[in-house]
């Protein structure tokens, strides 16, 4: 670890003797204050809670802020491009930046772990186990959030390559994630009697939260490595993203209660949940990933020439998600045509609204055309935000105007409406999708001609 040049550089930038001395002194003053404010017999649990809170603030909040600021400063100071040209491997550069920039925060967090371990000896075994699990959740969840924001910053690099400055606005989502995480941990720690089921296995909420933190932390590390490879111009196969989709689908369908439904309706419910996951990640990656003109041209060329090996390394994550959704849609249509699904539509409409998957897929294609059309326009700033604004008009403002005008019959043309029927929903949306994809393809050809005519 110490031989990683990026890690050594961050040690020299972030660590000095004054900081190393001040951190344990300040933390020691806090812990002594907590200890003295309670009786000796009752001080253990407040000390544990204080150590967990301080660990969260140091590693999860401050450490993540340091990671984000480190990457943003590299971009704004114009030193990132020179780093991309070095011989350091993507994995070494990724973890060197992730843990090197937040090393001082982890240094303080280790003192909190030490206090937690010592005070655990003075509490009942059952409570100590719960607090230990809560601590492990803090560690894995903190690492997961750091990797997610690390990935988001690297993704922004690709979209703002020509920008002068970049802000760390993505750090603002940390407060929401922190609130959700702490709320889940607090609820799970206090809920020691209820049992939840995952794929028929009885699991305590605190254990499920721990396993989930490990699951998403590991995938966050994989995504961080993959994002760094892409940033350093390495070829990325879509295998990792496809496996993540499959594993997330398996993870989510495991929460269906045992004995809920059986047979073909259960399989249809599995497909419906997987379909919604694929669509959700399609929209997320469509708005997050950079829509590079060169990569899309290579992708189209690979499709026309049947060069599947070259095509695989250029396929974006949003397209992989869309292909997953299309395959699941075909399976759902087959089940709807061959099996009796009336019971699931009648008894479980909360879980499966009567929305044909083909209609939702047409909405995805329409929105894809809108986003690509805007990204290939002459607008240079915040193209994805402009596309999101157009989508907000289609999904929010236009339906509101139609409702005011008492033209509810036209609502299925613009938003998914249950029980609207294929002719009144899928067909009009398919026409819109074809029109928008045609406009996007036309603009792509125009941009390609302009790029080819630029003198070298």
């Amino acid at each position: 670890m110490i031989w990683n040049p990026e890690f050594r550089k961050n040690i020299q930038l972030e660590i000095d003797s004054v900081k190393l001395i001040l951190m344990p002194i300040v933390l020691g003053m806090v812990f002594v204050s907590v200890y003295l404010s309670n009786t000796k017999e009752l001080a253990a649990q407040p000390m544990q809670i204080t150590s967990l809170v301080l660990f969260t603030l140091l590693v999860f909040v401050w450490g993540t802020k340091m990671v984000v600021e480190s990457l943003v400063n590299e971009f704004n100071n114009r030193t990132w491009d020179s780093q991309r040209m070095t011989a350091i491997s993507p994995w070494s550069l990724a973890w060197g930046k992730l843990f090197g920039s937040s090393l001082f925060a982890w240094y303080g967090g280790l003192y909190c772990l030490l206090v937690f371990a010592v005070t655990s000896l003075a509490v009942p075994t059952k409570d100590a186990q719960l607090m230990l699990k809560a601590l492990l959740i803090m560690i894995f969840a903190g690492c997961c959030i750091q990797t997610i924001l690390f990935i988001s910053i690297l993704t922004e690099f690709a979209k703002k390559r020509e920008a002068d400055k970049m802000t760390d606005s993505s750090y603002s989502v940390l407060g929401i994630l922190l609130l959700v995480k702490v709320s889940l941990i607090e609820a799970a720690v206090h809920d020691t009697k209820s049992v939840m089921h995952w794929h028929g296995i009885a699991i305590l909420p605190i254990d499920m939260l721990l396993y989930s933190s490990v699951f998403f932390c590991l995938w966050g590390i994989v995504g961080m490595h993959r994002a760094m490879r892409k940033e350093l111009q390495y070829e990325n196969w879509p295998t990792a993203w496809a496996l993540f989709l499959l594993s997330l689908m398996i993870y989510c369908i495991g929460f269906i209660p045992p004995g809920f439904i059986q047979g073909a309706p259960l399989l249809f419910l599995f497909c419906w949940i997987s379909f919604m996951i694929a669509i959700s990640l399609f929209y997320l990656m469509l708005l997050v990933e950079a829509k590079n003109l060169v990569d899309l041209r290579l992708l189209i060329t690979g499709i026309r020439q049947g060069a599947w090996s070259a095509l695989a390394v250029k396929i974006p994550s949003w397209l992989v998600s869309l292909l997953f959704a299309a395959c699941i849609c075909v399976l759902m249509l087959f089940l709807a045509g061959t099996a009796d699904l009336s019971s699931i539509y009648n008894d479980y409409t909360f879980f499966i609204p009567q929305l044909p998957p083909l209609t939702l897929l047409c909405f995805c294609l329409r929105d894809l055309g809108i986003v690509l059309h805007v990204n290939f326009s002459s607008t240079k700033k915040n193209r994805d935000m402009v596309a999101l604004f157009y989508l907000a008009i289609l999904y929010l403002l236009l339906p509101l105007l139609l409702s005011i005008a008492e033209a509810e019959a036209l609502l299925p043309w613009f938003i998914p409406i249950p029980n609207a029927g294929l002719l009144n929903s899928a067909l009009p949306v398919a026409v819109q999708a074809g029109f928008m994809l045609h406009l996007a393809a036309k603009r792509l050809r125009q941009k390609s001609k302009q790029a080819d005519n630029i003198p070298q």
Side-chain angles (χ1 to χ4, degrees), residues 12 46 88 90 175 180 189 221 305 314 316 357 379 419 427 448 453:
Q12 296 172 357
I88 187 171
V180 172
V189 168
I221 294 173
Q305 297 179 354
K314 292 297 181 183
T379 304
N419 300 315
L427 184 59
S448 300
N453 293 332

Side-chain angles (χ1 to χ4, degrees), residues 414-433:
F414 302 101
I415 58 174
I417 298 292
N419 300 315
L422 290 176
L423 292 180
N424 195 33
S425 58
L427 184 59
V429 179
V431 173
Q432 298 175 47

